[in-house]
Amino acid sequence: MDTPMQDNTWMPTFYVGQYETDRALPVTSGVLYQAHDCNYDMLTTPITTPFFRHRVQQLVTQALQNNIDRDDQASIPTIPPLSLPDTPLTPGDITSQLLAFISPWIDLCSPDPLISNISRQVLYLEIAYAAFCGIEYVFIPGPRLYHGDAATHGTPQYARAVQEALSIGSHLSIHIIVPMIADPIDEPMAEMGNLALQTRSEYIDEVDELRPRKPDMFGTWDAWNTIRTVCKYSNRLFVALSLPKELPPLSVQSRWYSEPVKLLAMTPETFNYNKHNKPVLSDSLKSFITRLMRVKVTPWILLCDVGPIPGLDDPEAKIPVSDGFLSPDTVADVAGSPTPTEAASRFQNTSRHTDDLTPHLSYIRWLQRRQPPRTIVEKYGSGYQDYLQVPLQPLTDNLESMTYEVFEKDPVKYDLYEQAVRQALRDWRDEGKPTSNPDGRVVVAVAGAGRGPLVTRALRASKAENVEIDLWAVEKNPNAYVLLQRHNKEDWDRTVTIVQSDMRSWKGPFHRDPSTSTFTSAPPPLSHSTNHQPSNTPPELTHYPIDILISELLGSFADNELSPECLDGILHLLAPTYGISIPRSYTAFLTPIAAPKLHADISSRSSWDPTAPDTPAVVWLHAIDYLSLAAKPPYPASDTPDHNSSNFKGKNKAPAHPSDHSTTPTPPLPPSPLILPTWSFRHGPQPSVPASNTHNTRHACLSFRTRHRGVCHGLGGYFEAVLYPGIELSTNPETMELKSAGMISWFPIFFPLRVRMFSLTHVYFGG
């Protein structure tokens, strides 16, 4: 099947909103439609007005004068319900296109009980009114991690407030606005009117942890992890990430990539300004955005304080639409790093250029048009990112034609199988091996033929190598058996013997004994079923071995579907000296991962399926973070080793390096994960198999070191298989590009942990 490797027609959708600190209120339909005309998708609005803020501050001032202490909670004033002057919002048709912001002047983390109590009251009032108005998306400023020179410990009380807010607004989603890292130097100072400024010194003095000198790369993530853990991984709780001009290390980026990031906030300070005084993003930021735009639910982009919406004062004026078609000079990257003075000058000079009234929006729309095309894997897996699926059970279930068709769309796997069969036939001919069929043809059997793709590839290989084969196709599915007969009649020129049977009960290829049959000159039967014997007594059959056995019974963890148990029932039919099994061997691999989205999905399923936390699932692992990283250089491709021992030390594999297909930089790969082998299976001539299945028992003890703190939600499982020496396929992300790039037949498997593990330096798994 000829399938293109890229989808050049695809372009992701960027939903771009606009935020103004001093926006004129209320946001009317006219304002929203004017924003749409400029190519914005949504606008932000505060839930309450400056009048409400002034009213709350008066209550706080009065309470402070009364010197309310920690034990006098009853004296803390109660904020009266909202009145008309307190809010610009009203229910209406446009509320679904508004992002509502909780008042930024509250301090839910305050160590002062008065300030924290008043802040919670404001939060609950605003959440309740937003829910009443039909607002769907509410944004809360993240926890304040520092008060002056002291670090606060108020994140748990912040988390409890968010948990209560989720119950008050039972249908809206809440987004926590946080920076990527915790940096006390860069944390914005509280503005006049912020309740944090009214925190009493005696409560700050109780905090004995001084401000750290260095930024904590995972400090903000720690706070977010506390919040979502207290909120029990609610599927209505998201992250709104504030982007800096220079991104933190890739390890931090990967951690946020695994989280439910719903919005990327950018201010003018996020952008660089080129020699034409036009806003542009650094290559690292463009790459980070490109990576995030590959997730199943892409984040929105919010441009904050980049200028007002043009044309509000003159609705009849013609405002150019920011469609993303910009000249090369406009989007030229900054040559070198500007000095602080140059950067400030460029930023100030942007106001002098009036040819584009929304330059930041125009650049984002340009970036949208320059996204790299999807690879065939991304195109095939679209919609399946982080989607849990139950592994197939083809032994107990007869698969439908549509299921077979999905797997047959993978040209890479079947190309590799054809190469393996060709090489096996070539070696058989060149080495002069004897065949099992008396007429000199190489006996080839496809076990589990399905709809016949491997049969077709075996016939192609035979023709290409000019080696005649005696081809048998064994399939237990009675429905697929009918289709195989049709293929044999219409496509394969009746050269294949079709057998309907469970491979474990099949007695092998046969021919009629001349001494007992008068039909020795007849060709092999079109089909044969072990389930339906003819009414007359058949002539005696002489069975002979299989020279080459072909199967595709591997699951996402190699041995989790039909292999190796089903193959055990047919391997005794292989020619004892020269018999070949394709695949020859396969090895399963594991690595610990942070997968909060999958954990949240499984947690929600647990309410109606108690076994969900213990059930492995096939899933295209996308928004994850590898917790253990490789410390050594990768090793080159080689034959999969035999790793039947329980304690087995694997080697690290080479990461994939996708090529760049556009002017937008391809996202840089995160550090290479440490993915360790667990166990292996090898297949070849096998005279007998024990009655029990104990010979297939495997166990492994694996040790992983982690460089950064994080939460392990489960294990990602992969496999590598040797079809024939020198021809391999792999789902291991470290070797897939090297061995079977673009293969789409298998998604990884995810083994969830019922009790998630918080990792500091070391993770150990054994069984």
Side-chain angles (χ1 to χ4, degrees), residues 657-712:
H657 293 284
S659 60
D660 190 3
H661 299 287
S662 76
T663 57
T664 299
T666 298
L669 294 174
S672 179
L674 180 63
I675 303 176
L676 297 182
T678 56
W679 47 70
S680 292
F681 292 89
R682 299 181 69 89
H683 297 300
Q686 188 169 310
S688 61
V689 177
S692 66
N693 196 38
T694 55
H695 65 289
N696 286 324
T697 301
R698 299 287 190 276
H699 72 275
C701 299
L702 305 177
S703 180
F704 298 90
R705 289 197 174 273
T706 58
R707 299 183 185 179
H708 309 287
R709 56 189 184 271
V711 177
C712 180

Side-chain angles (χ1 to χ4, degrees), residues 457-474:
R457 294 301 182 126
L459 291 172
R460 285 189 193 176
S462 170
K463 183 177 181 180
E465 295 299 325
N466 197 26
V467 175
E468 292 190 22
I469 62 174
D470 174 17
L471 185 55
W472 295 71
V474 183

Side-chain angles (χ1 to χ4, degrees), residues 56-381:
V56 172
Q57 288 173 339
Q58 285 183 326
L59 284 175
V60 173
T61 301
Q62 184 177 359
L64 289 173
Q65 292 173 351
N66 296 333
N67 197 25
I68 299 175
D69 60 25
R70 187 191 303 273
D71 299 323
D72 193 11
Q73 296 289 320
S75 300
I76 295 178
T78 300
I79 302 176
L82 297 180
S83 59
L84 183 59
D86 292 328
T87 176
L89 284 181
T90 185
D93 295 337
I94 68 169
T95 53
S96 63
Q97 300 173 64
L98 296 179
L99 310 181
F101 275 61
I102 296 296
S103 294
W105 42 267
I106 63 175
D107 186 7
L108 295 167
C109 286
S110 178
D112 189 326
L114 171 63
I115 301 302
S116 61
N117 187 294
I118 292 294
S119 297
R120 286 194 298 273
Q121 290 187 55
V122 172
L123 172 66
Y124 300 156
L125 281 172
E126 294 188 345
I127 287 287
Y129 188 72
F132 167 77
C133 290
I135 292 290
E136 299 179 26
Y137 312 105
V138 173
F139 293 78
I140 305 178
R144 190 174 184 82
L145 301 181
Y146 301 93
H147 275 286
D149 290 332
T152 69
H153 300 286
T155 302
Q157 72 185 32
Y158 179 101
R160 288 192 294 272
V162 173
Q163 184 183 33
E164 180 64 21
L166 284 167
S167 64
I168 294 173
S170 57
H171 299 292
L172 51 76
S173 59
I174 290 179
H175 308 71
I176 309 301
I177 308 171
V178 294
M180 294 190 73
I181 63 173
D183 190 345
I185 297 176
D186 290 341
E187 180 157 320
M189 299 298 294
E191 299 178 355
M192 290 298 297
N194 194 305
L195 295 184
L197 296 177
Q198 296 180 276
T199 301
R200 288 168 285 184
S201 59
E202 59 265 29
Y203 293 103
I204 296 179
D205 292 341
E206 292 180 2
V207 183
D208 56 8
E209 184 180 347
L210 294 180
R211 174 192 294 182
R213 293 182 179 274
K214 295 182 179 180
D216 184 351
M217 292 296 172
F218 290 90
T220 305
W221 176 85
D222 277 338
W224 159 250
N225 183 53
T226 299
I227 296 166
R228 58 100 174 273
T229 301
V230 170
C231 296
K232 300 180 180 179
Y233 283 76
S234 170
N235 58 9
R236 295 187 292 116
L237 185 63
F238 301 92
V239 174
L241 209 55
S242 179
L243 297 182
K245 178 177 295 187
E246 298 297 332
L247 287 177
L250 280 173
S251 57
V252 181
Q253 298 178 41
S254 294
R255 180 63 52 81
W256 285 118
Y257 175 75
S258 70
E259 298 294 347
V261 177
K262 191 63 175 291
L263 183 138
L264 302 174
M266 304 181 192
T267 66
E269 288 72 23
T270 305
F271 293 82
N272 291 312
Y273 295 87
N274 61 23
K275 62 181 181 180
H276 299 283
N277 294 321
K278 298 298 183 181
V280 294
L281 294 175
S282 64
D283 285 348
S284 60
L285 267 173
K286 288 188 288 187
S287 298
F288 183 64
I289 293 171
T290 295
R291 188 182 181 197
L292 281 172
M293 291 303 172
R294 256 52 182 179
V295 300
K296 185 176 182 179
V297 180
T298 57
W300 304 330
I301 294 175
L302 187 65
L303 298 178
C304 305
D305 292 324
V306 295
I309 299 171
L312 288 180
D313 54 348
D314 185 7
E316 300 300 325
K318 293 183 178 180
I319 306 298
V321 176
S322 299
D323 53 14
F325 291 100
L326 301 177
S327 66
D329 288 342
T330 302
V331 296
D333 290 335
V334 177
S337 299
T339 65
T341 303
E342 290 173 338
S345 174
R346 290 175 180 176
F347 173 66
Q348 292 170 1
N349 290 337
T350 55
S351 59
R352 302 176 187 173
H353 293 260
T354 58
D355 55 331
D356 187 351
L357 300 179
T358 54
H360 299 82
L361 176 60
S362 297
Y363 180 82
I364 294 299
R365 293 303 184 193
W366 172 85
L367 186 63
Q368 175 183 357
R369 293 185 174 276
R370 304 302 294 179
Q371 291 300 292
R374 292 185 299 183
T375 65
I376 188 173
V377 176
E378 290 174 327
K379 182 180 179 181
Y380 170 81

Side-chain angles (χ1 to χ4, degrees), residues 439-500:
D439 65 9
R441 291 181 295 166
V442 178
V443 182
V444 178
V446 177
R451 302 200 316 174
L454 286 180
V455 177
T456 300
R457 294 301 182 126
L459 291 172
R460 285 189 193 176
S462 170
K463 183 177 181 180
E465 295 299 325
N466 197 26
V467 175
E468 292 190 22
I469 62 174
D470 174 17
L471 185 55
W472 295 71
V474 183
E475 175 56 49
K476 80 170 187 66
N477 186 339
N479 305 309
Y481 173 67
V482 176
L483 182 60
L484 288 171
Q485 293 179 82
R486 186 175 301 279
H487 282 317
N488 199 22
K489 178 182 178 181
E490 299 177 356
D491 303 320
W492 301 332
D493 198 26
R494 300 176 182 268
T495 57
V496 182
T497 305
I498 314 296
V499 179
Q500 184 197 351

